Amino acid sequence: MTEQQKKFPEFYVTAPQPCPYLPGRLERKLFTHLTHDKPPELVDRLLTTGFRRSQNIAYVPYCEGCQACISVRVLVNEFQPDRSMRRSWNRNSSLIAQRTAPTPTMEQFKLFRAYIDARHSDGGMADMTILDYRMMVEDTVIETFLTEYRQKPADATDLDFDSWPLKAVALCDRLTDGISMVYSFYDPADADAGLGTYMILEHIAFARRIGLPHVYLGYWIDGSRKMAYKTRFKPQERLGPDRWERVGDGEED
């Protein structure tokens, strides 16, 4: 194999299996391995044109007769939260966010397991072990970071951050034109606090501060209740057959 062949991605297709989002349909994925010998520009190009990253795999839906999965990204500089989003923001005003290197901890894993067991016990992550979680966080060839959200006690100082209750965690990639939210989870005991919404809002604010124009939310699937929340973050762009297409504007609910 020549050096040029090593740098060019080889693509594979998974076998059909039941779609986890649309009953009665089958899903397949087109994927390639992300390795350190692949040019960073190539990896970034994949992740800004519809591919998603899971550990060292970049994948895109490749389903026969179905194009329901659509990549979505928020237009950071134009985004304005609606009324319910502002309520979520205010409700979580005591949370403090801290960016860290992609280093997994047992505290994170316990929160992750509690979240999965409470909300996705029948999903593909139901059997993940501490080793699986470690690989999910660490196995990356690009700039990846964690954001920990902790509840600040009334009498605490910032020096005590690591001892504050951990309420939520987001795993993200930094791309050339935005932040890609890979996976996030939160304390299921606070399910009514709107932590999922809050984490997206906080990353939109973070992207704005550091001058990145997009926050990538992964795939929106029309007809899937699990994915419906992504349509709320407008204005946004959805990836069409040839280009990103603008959809909607922020508005009061």
Side-chain angles (χ1 to χ4, degrees):
M1 182 179 292
T2 67
E3 193 64 28
Q4 184 175 4
Q5 287 173 321
K6 288 181 182 179
K7 294 181 178 180
F8 192 82
E10 296 180 311
F11 291 95
Y12 309 89
V13 179
T14 62
Q17 58 184 356
C19 175
Y21 299 105
L22 298 177
R25 300 195 190 183
L26 297 176
E27 72 163 2
R28 302 180 78 181
K29 292 184 175 72
L30 178 72
F31 72 95
T32 186
H33 294 280
L34 302 178
T35 55
H36 288 285
D37 59 357
K38 299 292 189 297
E41 298 82 6
L42 172 63
V43 176
D44 187 81
R45 180 66 174 168
L46 289 172
L47 299 180
T48 56
T49 55
F51 279 76
R52 293 289 287 169
R53 185 184 71 81
S54 177
Q55 297 175 218
N56 66 348
I57 298 291
Y59 68 90
V60 67
Y62 195 69
C63 308
E64 184 175 354
C66 180
Q67 296 180 329
C69 295
I70 299 174
S71 293
V72 172
R73 65 187 187 186
V74 182
L75 296 172
V76 166
N77 294 325
E78 299 180 60
F79 172 79
Q80 293 293 330
D82 63 25
R83 188 176 303 140
S84 66
M85 291 175 184
R86 291 196 294 271
R87 286 196 294 267
S88 295
W89 183 269
N90 293 332
R91 192 178 297 126
N92 293 286
S93 60
S94 63
L95 292 183
I96 304 298
Q98 179 170 284
R99 321 288 169 196
T100 72
T103 303
T105 67
M106 181 57 71
E107 183 184 26
Q108 294 166 10
F109 177 68
K110 289 180 179 178
L111 184 65
F112 170 79
R113 281 289 356 150
Y115 173 80
I116 293 296
D117 293 343
R119 299 184 62 87
H120 302 288
S121 59
D122 59 347
M125 292 182 164
D127 297 326
M128 282 182 63
T129 65
I130 180 64
L131 178 59
D132 296 324
Y133 176 75
R134 178 179 177 180
M135 292 177 65
M136 182 178 81
V137 173
E138 290 184 340
D139 200 356
T140 176
V141 300
I142 63 175
E143 184 178 347
T144 298
F145 62 93
L146 287 168
T147 305
E148 291 188 344
Y149 299 88
R150 294 183 181 272
Q151 188 87 49
K152 184 176 182 179
D155 58 348
T157 68
D158 291 348
L159 296 177
D160 301 324
F161 180 83
D162 291 340
S163 67
W164 302 349
L166 181 65
K167 291 296 183 179
V169 178
L171 176 68
C172 296
D173 293 335
R174 179 165 177 171
L175 309 178
T176 54
D177 71 347
I179 293 172
S180 175
M181 299 192 71
V182 177
Y183 197 76
S184 59
F185 53 94
Y186 54 83
D187 188 345
D190 294 331
D192 296 333
L195 285 166
T197 295
Y198 175 77
M199 282 189 281
I200 296 175
L201 294 174
E202 199 277 330
H203 277 84
I204 291 173
F206 176 57
R208 185 177 290 151
R209 289 198 304 273
I210 62 177
L212 294 176
H214 304 116
V215 169
Y216 289 80
L217 299 182
Y219 299 119
W220 167 67
I221 303 172
D222 191 14
S224 171
R225 292 181 61 187
K226 293 180 180 179
M227 298 295 184
Y229 72 92
K230 297 181 182 182
T231 64
R232 298 173 55 212
F233 295 87
K234 296 178 181 177
Q236 63 181 228
E237 290 180 332
R238 298 175 187 171
L239 187 60
D242 303 309
R243 59 186 176 86
W244 288 96
E245 300 171 353
R246 182 188 176 99
V247 177
D249 291 287
E251 57 186 29
E252 295 291 330
D253 63 350

